[in-house]
Amino acid sequence: MFSFFCYTEKERKKTMAEMEKDTFQYVVEQFADLQLLRYQVPGFEELSLNQKKLVYYLSEAALHGRDILFDQNGKYNLLIRKVLETVYTEYQGDRTDANFLAMETYLKRVWFSSGIHHHYAADKFVPGFTPEFFAKALQSIGEGKFPIREGESLESLCEEIFPVIFQSEVMPKRVNQADGEDLVLTSASNYYVGVTQQEAEDFYAQMKCPDDPTPVMFGMNSRLVKENGKVQEKVWKSGGLYGQAIDTIVYWLEKALEVAENDAQKAVIEKNIQFYKDGDLKTFDEYAILWLKDLDSRIDYVNGFTESYGDPLGMKASWESIVNFKDLVATKRTETISDNAQWFEDHSPVDKRFKKAEVKGVSAKVITAAILAGDLYPATAIGINLPNSNWIRSVHGSKSVTIGNITDAYNKAARGNGFTDEFVYSEVEKAYLEKYGDLTGDLHTDLHECLGHGSGQLLPGVDPDALKAYGSTIEEARADLFGLYYLPDAKMQELGLTPDDDAYKAEYYSFMMNGLMTQLVRIELGNNVEEAHMRNRQLIAKWAFEKGADQKVTEWVKKDGKTYVKVNDYEKLRQLFGQLLGEIQRIKSEGDFEAARQLVENYAVKIDPELHREVLARYEKLKLAPYKGFVNPVYTPETDAEGDIVDVKISYGEGYAEQMLRYSKDYANLPLRNE
Ligand code: ZN
């Protein structure tokens, strides 16, 4: 499962001095609705030689799966990518021509989505160049450069792919979720061939045994096809479908095995290889259990068929990989918080009856991503919680991580994009945000995750689902308030988590600005606030605003016709957060449905249309790309005279097109056409 955050609320400005000091370029380029960023891999240089080798081998295993995802996303994707790249690199005509530029943008979008459909919306891209231009470009380059089948011509290649690129009614959606249609036949993803939805559902229904306490995830690693009238699976494994790519992945995993850090990690890699070889879903479950229990290794990775968002029936898993290592400093932070869980519980502004006598914090691991691949590249999640198998999760638990350097890259790249200048009231608040914003944002998340959700208790006999539809908003508010209440606490400085008495003001200001105003940029005019986290933020911010209105704790200020949030009394604001935390905990502990309903309906749902219109118009002017992705760093092994690796160097200079073209050259390992 993925967790995605929206970073717009944390976007901040960078000072000139900092800009000069900081030569690392986080923003690579922007086109269509996409922005490409770069991430740093702090700590890589300090890894041991064996650990560096391990990261390098696992990265190679990651990059060698690239073509699998392209093919899973649609059967023409590899062929179309090849033709586009050939025109892009070989075209001798006018490269500033509007048609050529539109084709370049189209190719960049295809790279980004691993196919011809939008990575998020799943709609097919509308090319901004004409078929006439494209046909002429192909002819000018000449037949010899293109993948043409024996006995065929450039014309037949055009006939093969032009309708897929240019005709809107051909393969319009990668994943169709429209109720009432045959979701399998109308989805362009390459998971089912010649099979109807009914046939696919029947095929898997007869496999399932309702009494099995440990059911495998049927269908997850295969394409379902109908051949000679018979529905059957073509399994993705060595010697099976995608076998060429899988064999190369296995080659690099075997190299990784030689430098594994310990026996637990070795067992994980061995099982991963075994699964790629036998394709047996029981093997996969064994692998998943070994993986979730390996918590002590510094280096960790995912490599395989993982998430099923790309299958309209939610069974077939898309291929992805991430290689990472534990961020020791950030993980220390979450451990410090977690180790002091009892102190925080005992001192919270909550009625004694609602507190846990014995509380245990959760220490979430913070990781540094070293390479992203497949369905995690270029667009990636910032947190991962795996495995997805329900029975494994309930019996063995799961591993949950947040990716620190990706979060950091989002924050850094957002500086200077104009958002802060547009929405933050004055230089005072901007200075707080700049100085403390990243730190207190992370700390708030840590307190929320490590302590907030685990704090408090229900009174005996209270139904945990008593708050019904309001339950998740109230629960998120409880966790957020726990963090907000403690950020300014002296205990935080005592534990070395915050540097001084001002740091918390950065998070307080951005929380109020976001909850009262800027999170509205994600909602269409006329709609209400629906999502639980957004409802929670508005609930807290509006409640604290209203309760502190007499004393002007927070107020609206108009400047040059624009509306701003101004916090006048941060200490009073903390008291208000504490007061609301007490009340929200009471509602939860007593299962007071009516009070939950009142709070949510009065504060969390409705939007002032006039303010909403203003915020959207101001945001629109900033022209920020709504979707972001990342260019990977490059790992280069250095060898001695015997060819042994003596070091692995990391570099960041590669451009987006440069990287994609290199990957297409070095990591292409599947046939361009499905036979
Ligand atoms: Zn939460």
Side-chain angles (χ1 to χ4, degrees), residues 448-449 453 472 475-477 479-480 533 536:
H448 177 120
E449 301 292 350
H453 282 305
S472 49
E475 177 55 23
E476 291 308 322
D480 256 356
H533 293 81
N536 131 52

Side-chain angles (χ1 to χ4, degrees), residues 225-350:
V225 302
K226 193 158 151 187
E227 278 176 2
N228 308 320
K230 191 169 174 286
V231 178
Q232 52 188 300
E233 281 189 327
K234 288 194 165 176
V235 177
W236 306 323
K237 63 171 188 171
S238 181
L241 214 53
Y242 302 147
Q244 305 95 319
I246 286 170
D247 286 344
T248 350
I249 293 170
V250 166
Y251 169 84
W252 288 102
L253 289 177
E254 280 169 351
K255 303 280 276 181
L257 203 51
E258 292 166 17
V259 288
E261 293 176 276
N262 52 53
D263 288 345
Q265 188 176 59
K266 208 174 221 170
V268 172
I269 302 173
E270 274 167 350
K271 260 310 172 211
N272 196 358
I273 293 171
Q274 190 193 329
F275 176 61
Y276 273 137
K277 287 185 173 169
D278 68 21
D280 183 340
L281 292 169
K282 283 271 180 214
T283 310
F284 181 79
D285 281 359
E286 289 163 21
Y287 155 75
I289 294 164
L290 288 170
W291 177 81
L292 78 91
K293 292 195 169 160
D294 177 18
L295 296 170
D296 294 329
S297 305
R298 178 82 193 271
I299 290 157
D300 201 358
Y301 78 104
V302 171
N303 186 312
F305 304 105
T306 309
E307 302 284 359
S308 56
Y309 303 107
D311 171 11
L313 304 185
M315 284 186 288
K316 310 285 173 194
S318 63
W319 190 91
E320 71 180 36
S321 183
I322 178 174
V323 181
N324 63 80
F325 53 90
K326 208 184 282 181
D327 176 340
L328 300 178
V329 175
T331 302
K332 182 93 183 31
R333 193 180 69 214
T334 58
E335 280 167 5
T336 302
I337 290 171
S338 188
D339 289 347
N340 289 277
Q342 194 65 54
W343 186 93
F344 287 103
E345 182 75 359
D346 293 346
H347 292 80
S348 80
V350 160

Side-chain angles (χ1 to χ4, degrees), residues 28-29 38 66 85 88 108 111 377 631 634 652-666:
V28 179
E29 63 175 296
R38 221 185 284 284
R66 179 175 184 247
E85 285 174 349
Y88 182 65
K108 286 181 174 181
W111 281 330
Y377 169 83
V631 169
V634 182
Y652 300 100
E654 199 166 37
Y656 175 62
E658 203 185 339
Q659 180 156 93
M660 289 296 186
L661 288 169
R662 180 170 67 87
Y663 285 180
S664 294
K665 185 163 85 43
D666 293 352

Side-chain angles (χ1 to χ4, degrees), residues 454-485:
S455 73
Q457 64 176 359
L458 301 183
L459 290 184
V462 170
D463 174 3
D465 296 323
L467 305 182
K468 302 195 180 83
Y470 301 109
S472 49
T473 299
I474 293 294
E475 177 55 23
E476 291 308 322
R478 200 170 72 86
D480 256 356
L481 284 162
F482 200 92
L484 286 168
Y485 177 76

Side-chain angles (χ1 to χ4, degrees), residues 18-30:
E18 208 183 334
M19 217 143 28
E20 278 164 15
K21 189 174 69 192
D22 188 2
T23 52
F24 189 86
Q25 294 293 311
Y26 285 92
V27 178
V28 179
E29 63 175 296
Q30 189 166 332

